[in-house]
Amino acid sequence: MERLAFHLQIADGKRDAYREKHENVPEALEEAYLESDAGVETYSVFEKEGHVFGYMEVENPDVIQEVMAESEAQAEWAEEMAGITLESDDSWMDEVYRMI
């Protein structure tokens, strides 16, 4: 099992919109992740003061990153989130410490 994390920022004044969108994440997006060969074990998103931290544990990180980069469901979600989150060329984070 491999651990992945990403960081995004929410545009000024869009925090409520961000949280509202996540109350009803499209089923097609969840299915794209869960039905891929990534082996998603867990996926959580945290937010504080406009900073978003996503964390997931997967069997195959290359597959989930491909789904997130190329799936139709992800593209549709990106359209919904346009203007809510700030653009980023690379939001993936490096793990710098792990106790267990």
Side-chain angles (χ1 to χ4, degrees):
M1 192 65 55
E2 296 198 38
R3 299 155 32 120
L4 297 173
F6 63 85
H7 173 262
L8 300 172
Q9 285 190 269
I10 299 171
D12 289 341
K14 299 293 185 175
R15 187 175 182 210
D16 288 342
Y18 181 88
R19 286 178 169 254
E20 287 173 15
K21 290 285 186 187
H22 282 79
E23 289 176 10
N24 294 300
V25 172
E27 189 174 317
L29 182 60
E30 292 179 347
E31 288 175 355
Y33 291 10
L34 294 173
E35 294 176 3
S36 73
D37 291 329
V40 176
E41 180 68 26
T42 188
Y43 179 30
S44 298
V45 177
F46 303 86
E47 184 275 331
K48 184 171 183 174
E49 297 178 1
H51 290 272
V52 175
F53 172 74
Y55 171 80
M56 59 179 62
E57 294 178 2
V58 299
E59 291 290 335
N60 191 330
D62 293 334
V63 171
I64 198 63
Q65 288 176 326
E66 183 178 313
V67 169
M68 294 177 91
E70 299 177 12
S71 73
E72 183 177 328
Q74 185 71 46
E76 290 171 2
W77 180 246
E79 283 182 33
E80 284 194 47
M81 298 303 290
I84 296 174
T85 55
L86 301 177
E87 294 288 326
S88 175
D89 290 336
D90 184 17
S91 58
W92 294 105
M93 301 173 72
D94 295 326
E95 184 172 29
V96 296
Y97 174 76
R98 181 176 184 175
M99 186 169 66
I100 297 176

